């Protein structure tokens, strides 16, 4: 516990939150490195490089840039329903790193790969959490 | 009017399914067998190996089938409409593959009285026909069955065919990519050749170990509506939509161990390619896509939230100071993804209590964490739960991990994992201490 207290920072966020963000950044780095050949991984790396100098505020969803995807030619019938699909595609673009620069087809491929990588990451982090929980509990017993 | 076409398509599909299933009424089709075999044996092109030429052969065969069907039109009763007659008779044309002749009971069956089997059942039964066996006639048979269904679709009219196409559920499969593309391409009235070409190309694309099953399944699944897939894809802008959705589906389908609920659902999409004059059906089609995209978005968001939650949880873990979790995550992610990509068998190979996905990861993590945390596993192994894994880890490192080690650990700037340290086998403190 002293370690944590000693690392208390003057930031408004709590120490744990800051640690959490750092860990999340690390996870993202791992994620980005794991799929080097993918567009989303490259975009993620670019974003991480940009953020190195900035406060750690990794936020995947936040993106105010308008989507650059090419207009998808839909059946020129019902506009509202087309908009539904387009809205969702744009939302997906925002979710997947680097999605805005992709055309729709590529976006779906990248989404699939991104989903796989995210699953792996979640698995790794879960396992790590389990492991550390085990360490914690055993240490606690000894102490 | 579209509803009528739909019902006609349904009846045709019923007939198709029944045709493909019933192996018992062989004798009825003997004469058809001869007709088909004569047709099959006399194609201008030699029976090609699975490949693109199949489509050409199939086209020819279908063309001939059409003539045969017209000549042997015993199944007028099957036709709900005049334009269906050729189709139904084509259904009955037998395939020279004797045990797999699918269209046995057609002549005696009234399609209108057949119940509508589920698509999945139809698919698997059609697949059981083992359409594309080693022999050309097998391929022809498989193709014919599908083609006949597609023929009926096309003859009934594009809209009807498209309706039927939409009727089929989007199912995940190994050949999902082809299925998706074919499915939405729609029946543009291209005729038999188109469908044959599409199915042929679909089959050629799916060069799996069991080409017959694979060929049958996607084609049958789609009800053989693959009319002119490729031409349509390249021609119509609508294809973008469909391709998008297909890619969605394909991507979702192709991801290893499909994401749980969101993408497991079969979405019944009423796809009407380019002929959607009915706003209702168009709405259904678009809504289906939107729903699916919603699912994908929700899944990605939930995964990202999980990552955030887990990172916060890891932050709260009161781990020893020398536990460099950042490096852990970076290395392990790299390792995990590399390994998972290379050897998917790994999760099953390790009898870890955790989820299979985390099995190999656990071993990696254990090794990493042990060294990082500076534990003395020999004396007081803190990971009682993982104690049994240490022996496995030793073997793990020795046998299979050398390549991974070189890939992941070696490139770690803090030190290379010396695999030689594990040659002693068995967990010893020195072995478990991995210099990272």
């Amino acid at each position: 516990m002293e370690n944590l207290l000693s690392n208390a920072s003057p930031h408004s966020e709590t120490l744990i939150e800051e640690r959490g963000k750092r860990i999340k950044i690390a996870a993202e780095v791992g994620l980005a490195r794991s799929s080097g050949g993918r567009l989303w991984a490259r975009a993620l790396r670019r974003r991480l490089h940009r953020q190195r100098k900035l406060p750690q505020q990794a936020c995947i969803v936040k993106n105010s840039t308008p989507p650059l995807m090419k207009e998808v030619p839909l059946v020129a019938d019902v506009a509202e329903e087309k908009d539904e699909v387009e809205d969702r595609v744009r939302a997906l673009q925002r979710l997947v790193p680097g999605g805005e620069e992709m055309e729709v087809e590529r976006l779906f491929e990248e989404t699939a790969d991104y989903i796989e990588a995210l699953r792996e990451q979640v698995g790794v982090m879960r396992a790590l959490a389990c492991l550390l929980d085990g360490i914690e509990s055993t240490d606690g017993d000894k102490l | 009017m579209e509803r009528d076409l739909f019902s006609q398509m349904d009846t045709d599909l019923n007939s198709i399914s029944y045709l493909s299933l019933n192996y018992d009424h062989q004798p009825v089709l003997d004469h058809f067998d001869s007709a088909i075999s004569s047709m099959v044996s006399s194609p201008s092109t030699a029976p090609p190996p699975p490949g693109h030429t199949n489509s050409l052969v199939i086209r020819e065969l279908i063309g001939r089938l059409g003539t045969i069907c017209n000549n042997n039109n015993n199944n007028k009763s099957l036709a709900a409409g005049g334009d269906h007659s050729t189709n139904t008779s084509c259904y009955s044309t037998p395939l020279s593959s004797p045990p797999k002749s699918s269209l046995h009971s057609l002549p005696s069956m009234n399609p209108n009285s057949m119940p509508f089997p589920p698509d999945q059942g139809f698919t698997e039964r059609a697949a059981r026909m083992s359409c594309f066996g080693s022999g050309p006639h097998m391929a022809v048979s498989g193709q014919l069955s599908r083609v006949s269904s597609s023929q009926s679709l096309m003859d009934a009219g594009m809209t009807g065919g498209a309706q039927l196409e939409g009727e089929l559920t989007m199912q995940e499969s190994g050949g999902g990519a082809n299925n998706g593309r074919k499915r939405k391409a729609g029946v543009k009235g291209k005729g038999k050749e188109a469908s044959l070409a599409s199915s042929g190309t679909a089959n050629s694309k799916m060069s799996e170990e069991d080409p017959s099953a694979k060929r049958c399944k996607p084609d049958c699944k789609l009800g053989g509506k693959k009319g002119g897939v490729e031409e349509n894809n390249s021609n119509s802008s609508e294809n973008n939509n469909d391709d998008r959705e297909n890619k969605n589906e394909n991507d979702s389908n192709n991801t290893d161990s499909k994401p749980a609920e969101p993408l497991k659902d079969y979405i019944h999409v009423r796809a009407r390619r380019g002929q959607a004059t009915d706003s209702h059906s168009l709405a259904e089609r678009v809504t289906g896509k939107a729903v699916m995209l919603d699912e994908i978005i929700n899944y990605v968001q939930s995964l990202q939230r999980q990552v955030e939650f887990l990172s916060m949880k890891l932050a709260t873990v009161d781990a020893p100071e020398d536990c460099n979790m950042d490096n852990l995550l970076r290395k392990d992610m790299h390792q995990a993804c590399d390994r998972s990509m290379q050897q998917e068998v790994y999760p099953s190979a390790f009898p870890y209590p955790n989820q299979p996905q985390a099995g190999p990861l656990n071993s990696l993590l254990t090794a990493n964490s042990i060294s990082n945390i500076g534990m003395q596993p020999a004396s007081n192994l803190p990971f009682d739960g993982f104690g049994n894994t240490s022996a496995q880890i030793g073997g793990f490192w020795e046998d299979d991990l050398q390549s991974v080690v070189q890939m992941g650990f070696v490139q770690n700037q803090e030190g290379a994992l010396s695999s030689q340290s594990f040659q002693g086998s068995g967990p010893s403190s020195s072995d478990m201490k991995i210099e990272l």
Side-chain angles (χ1 to χ4, degrees):
Chain A
M1 217 38 178
E2 297 96 16
N3 291 331
L4 292 179
L5 293 175
S6 63
N7 291 336
S9 68
H11 288 244
S12 57
E13 301 162 349
T14 65
L15 175 70
I16 289 187
E17 284 175 10
E18 195 180 297
R19 268 186 87 191
K21 289 191 153 81
R22 276 189 282 121
I23 289 174
K24 188 175 169 202
I25 300 259
E28 283 184 2
V29 171
L31 196 63
R33 283 187 192 166
S34 63
S35 300
R38 284 290 180 171
L39 286 183
W40 65 262
R42 280 181 232 150
L44 186 58
R45 276 196 290 265
R46 280 197 298 270
R47 184 172 70 202
L48 288 170
H49 283 308
R50 267 186 273 122
Q51 286 173 348
R52 287 247 167 101
K53 316 250 161 92
L54 305 175
Q56 310 284 351
Q57 288 188 4
C59 183
I60 295 179
V61 184
K62 208 188 294 178
N63 196 328
S64 57
T65 63
L68 303 177
M69 83 167 170
K70 71 178 183 191
E71 245 349 271
V72 178
L74 301 173
V75 179
D77 274 336
V78 190
E80 312 89 60
E81 287 146 354
K82 276 194 298 173
D83 287 345
E84 281 184 15
V85 174
E86 288 191 14
D87 286 345
R88 283 159 176 84
V89 170
R90 291 200 194 96
L92 191 60
Q93 280 182 325
R94 285 192 289 269
L95 282 179
V96 177
E100 282 81 6
E101 292 100 31
M102 300 177 199
E103 61 275 6
V104 180
E105 287 189 4
R106 196 65 190 272
L107 173 70
F108 290 154
E109 288 180 14
E110 298 290 320
T111 300
D113 196 72
Y114 184 58
I115 286 179
E116 270 199 80
L118 276 181
R119 285 158 63 100
E120 283 288 345
Q121 184 176 49
V122 167
V124 168
M125 293 176 78
R126 266 205 204 118
L128 189 58
C130 279
L131 174 73
L132 294 179
D133 275 348
I135 295 177
E136 243 188 350
S137 59
T138 51
D139 279 348
D141 292 344
K142 287 179 195 118
L143 297 174
Chain B
M1 180 187 98
E2 290 166 353
R3 298 299 172 187
D4 297 338
L5 287 173
F6 224 116
S7 58
Q8 285 175 356
M9 289 302 107
D10 286 353
T11 60
D12 283 338
L13 192 60
N14 293 339
S15 62
I16 296 166
S17 55
Y18 267 78
L19 294 176
S20 56
L21 300 186
N22 206 333
Y23 298 124
D24 300 343
H25 307 273
Q26 183 118 16
V28 177
L29 293 171
D30 285 346
H31 65 290
F32 287 133
D33 275 327
S34 59
I36 276 291
S37 52
S38 66
M39 190 185 75
V40 173
S41 59
S42 63
S44 57
T45 62
H52 300 287
T53 53
N54 247 350
S55 57
L56 303 175
V57 174
I58 298 303
R59 279 185 215 141
E60 285 199 46
L61 292 173
I62 293 301
R64 296 180 197 216
L65 257 189
T67 58
I68 293 177
C69 291
N70 290 330
N71 296 337
N72 301 326
N73 198 347
N74 302 336
N75 310 314
K76 296 228 170 106
S77 61
L78 293 172
D83 53 353
H84 292 275
S85 59
T86 52
N87 298 331
T88 54
S89 59
C90 289
Y91 296 158
S92 63
T93 28
L95 317 171
S96 53
S97 56
K100 314 276 173 123
S101 296
S102 55
L103 320 171
H104 297 296
S105 57
L106 180 59
S108 55
M109 282 192 159
N110 186 350
N112 295 322
S113 60
M114 293 185 206
F116 187 77
D119 289 335
Q120 291 85 348
F122 167 66
T123 299
E124 83 185 83
R125 284 172 293 194
R128 257 187 260 145
M129 290 168 23
S130 80
C131 321
F132 301 114
S134 51
H137 56 281
M138 303 272 293
V140 170
S141 66
Q143 291 281 7
L144 289 177
S145 63
R146 267 194 338 279
V147 169
S148 50
S149 60
S150 58
Q151 281 174 356
S152 73
L153 293 174
M154 287 182 289
D155 288 349
M158 248 200 53
T159 57
Q163 280 176 341
L164 180 57
E165 161 187 349
E167 177 80 337
L168 297 180
T169 62
M170 296 163 28
Q171 300 183 11
E172 61 175 353
S173 72
N178 298 325
N179 286 343
R181 293 202 185 93
K182 309 292 176 179
R183 176 173 46 80
K184 291 300 183 65
V187 182
K188 295 242 174 181
K190 293 264 178 171
K192 308 164 187 177
E193 288 100 9
S195 64
L196 287 176
S198 62
S199 38
T201 48
N203 299 331
S204 62
K205 277 178 197 169
M206 290 190 301
S207 52
E208 310 247 1
E209 46 200 339
D210 188 5
S212 61
K214 286 294 180 179
R215 283 185 188 176
C216 271
K217 269 185 189 168
D219 294 330
C220 302
K221 236 186 269 185
L222 302 177
K225 312 167 294 295
K226 317 167 188 142
V229 170
E230 267 124 40
E231 297 99 318
N232 291 340
N233 278 339
S234 58
N235 292 340
S236 168
S237 63
E238 297 173 34
N239 290 320
N240 285 341
N241 261 355
D242 294 338
D243 286 343
R244 273 193 304 147
E245 184 172 357
N246 299 340
K247 268 209 186 283
N248 248 345
E249 190 192 355
N250 302 336
D251 295 340
S252 321
N253 294 337
N254 292 337
T255 52
D256 168 39
S257 75
K258 244 170 121 74
E261 310 82 70
L263 299 167
K264 236 183 343 189
D265 300 337
Y266 295 155
I267 300 181
H268 294 258
V269 178
R270 307 295 180 96
R272 294 276 316 273
R273 292 278 296 129
Q275 298 292 324
T277 57
D278 184 4
S279 64
H280 181 54
S281 58
L282 176 63
E284 282 177 330
R285 163 167 76 124
V286 175
T287 301
K289 271 193 209 173
V291 165
M292 182 153 183
L293 284 174
D294 253 349
E295 296 276 359
I296 293 172
I297 288 170
N298 289 340
Y299 190 65
V300 171
Q301 279 176 336
S302 74
L303 283 176
Q304 289 172 347
R305 275 191 293 253
Q306 281 186 39
V307 168
E308 274 205 54
F309 166 76
L310 284 169
S311 65
M312 293 304 293
K313 179 173 177 187
L314 287 174
T316 63
V317 166
D318 188 14
E321 183 61 20
D322 55 353
C323 171
N324 194 344
M325 222 170 314
D326 291 354
N327 279 343
L328 271 179
L329 282 174
R330 292 190 186 120
K331 280 199 310 276
D332 290 335
M333 271 308 301
H334 194 56
Q335 287 284 322
C337 290
D338 284 342
R339 290 196 61 81
S340 66
M341 287 173 195
Q342 293 173 2
Q343 304 164 18
E344 288 151 0
V345 188
Y346 255 115
S348 57
F350 292 91
Y352 290 146
N354 295 336
Q355 54 188 349
Q357 174 187 6
L361 307 181
N362 249 343
S363 66
L364 296 171
L365 289 171
T366 309
N368 294 341
S369 308
I370 290 174
S371 63
N372 282 350
I373 296 170
M375 287 299 188
Q376 301 288 337
S379 54
N380 47 353
L381 195 63
F383 327 108
D384 292 336
F386 301 96
N388 59 341
T389 68
S390 53
Q392 294 167 355
I393 290 174
F396 179 85
W397 287 116
E398 284 178 69
D399 300 334
D400 305 311
L401 202 53
Q402 291 220 358
S403 59
V404 178
V405 164
Q406 285 158 13
M407 224 177 0
F409 288 95
V410 171
Q411 64 183 325
N412 191 328
Q413 61 276 15
E414 291 173 15
L417 172 64
S418 61
S419 54
Q420 287 84 14
S421 64
F422 294 98
Q423 284 172 359
S425 79
S428 63
S429 56
S430 60
D431 286 348
M432 296 312 294
K433 274 217 172 137
I434 303 169
E435 296 301 327
L436 293 171

